[in-house]
Amino acid sequence: MILGCIADDFTGATDLASMLVKGGMRAVQTIGVPDGPVPDVDAVVIALKSRTIDSREAIRSSLAALRWLKANGAQQIYFKYCSTFDSTADGNIGPVAEALMIALNTDFTIACPAFPENGRTIFRGYLYVGDVLLSESGMKDHPLTPMTDANLVRVLQAQTTRRVGLVRYDTVARGPAAIRERIAALKEEHVEMAVVDAVSDADLVAIGEACEDMPLVTAGSGVGLGLARNAAAKGRLAHIKEAGALPRVEGASAVLSGSCSVATNAQVAEWMKSHPALRIDPLALADGMPVVKDALAWAKELLGNGPVLIYATSTPEEVRAVQAKLGVEAAGKLVEDALASLAQGLVEAGVRKLVVAGGETSGAVVQALGVRMLRIGPQIDPGVPWTLAEGGQYSIALALKSGNFGGVDFFAKALGSIA
Ligand code: ADP
């Protein structure tokens, strides 16, 4: 295992694993710390749920993941967080990075959430989302991790006792040797963590080369591409051509959507123009109506003719109305449980290719299907690959899409690409 990765949430883990595959590594994602063997791969990404939990608990679960990765031969450790540096006032990026540094007995690491392909760039330590600063982007209003300061040196310094520095763009642009030189100078100044500027994939590759021997790298998914491309260029990857190959899966196809994001609403509307779709009503669920049973009966009638979509996806006004009646959490849980039961029912009915929209929804579906591990296949859209679920009762191809990812025709594109 060249790279052992610890990701602070589920779809973020998939995003990183997909980047590594794109760069030529064979990768699997595990749901939590594995309790059994994993296949022979170049990278293992352990998905935790440690982004917004208490920082002590985040440290505990991250160290458990680290122990497993080291015990299974990981040559380098990668702590993956969101490309918008999502963190609470307590962290957890700083505290977890610091705990990993102590455990790995290392006195230096980088912090680089850049993901240029998705518009996340860093210049002079300031993180941009598209054309605006992080603090002017939608992230300023995030319900759990509002990001009100775009200066990552300041944000990270507030989360750690280690001294935080910066590798500026003018250095990064001069390439790996210049980056290494700057890191050596920062170490002389007792800096132990450095935010690294990056505005393009070429910068990520330079950073990947400069950091190839670093025991710990902390970053978004972008630097993963740089590390993989560097490993490929150095001839360390023996299976580049078949890195994203998945065995063929036979069976029916379906889409389940529990995301209410702008992108998913558009994707559902696009699908409905030419494919069968059924909406499940949260209020009918709350009234104890046989919504899941009826939806399954509907799906079973149609599955032989082609893929179907079952969705709870609604507009913000509709969601607010449901939440006002049922409560935010209760409504979310009710819909997640229903979609998870539907996933089980669909698999029992012969579905083996399943697209799921929604981060929390994906987590609920994966848990209901008893999946412990995902082998990462080819990318469908940036950040979303096809995966093969392993560890459950059946082999199922899963495409797990977090809310705002994917183009408007994502569902048909995904199913078309493995038909
Ligand atoms: P995203 O990735 O877009 O954030 P998630 O699946 O993570 O999607 O979150 C969407 C949440 O909204 C889930 O908890 C889901 O159960 C809930 N939900 C879905 N449809 C509705 C609805 N019609 N009314 C209320 N809540 C809903």
Side-chain angles (χ1 to χ4, degrees), residues 258-261 279 282 312-314 319 322-323 331-333 335-336 357-361 401-404:
S259 160
C260 298
S261 70
R279 178 171 182 272
T313 304
S314 302
V319 173
V322 167
Q323 288 175 336
K333 174 100 177 55
V335 173
E336 283 167 35
E360 294 298 325
T361 308
K401 183 194 87 77
S402 88
N404 272 318

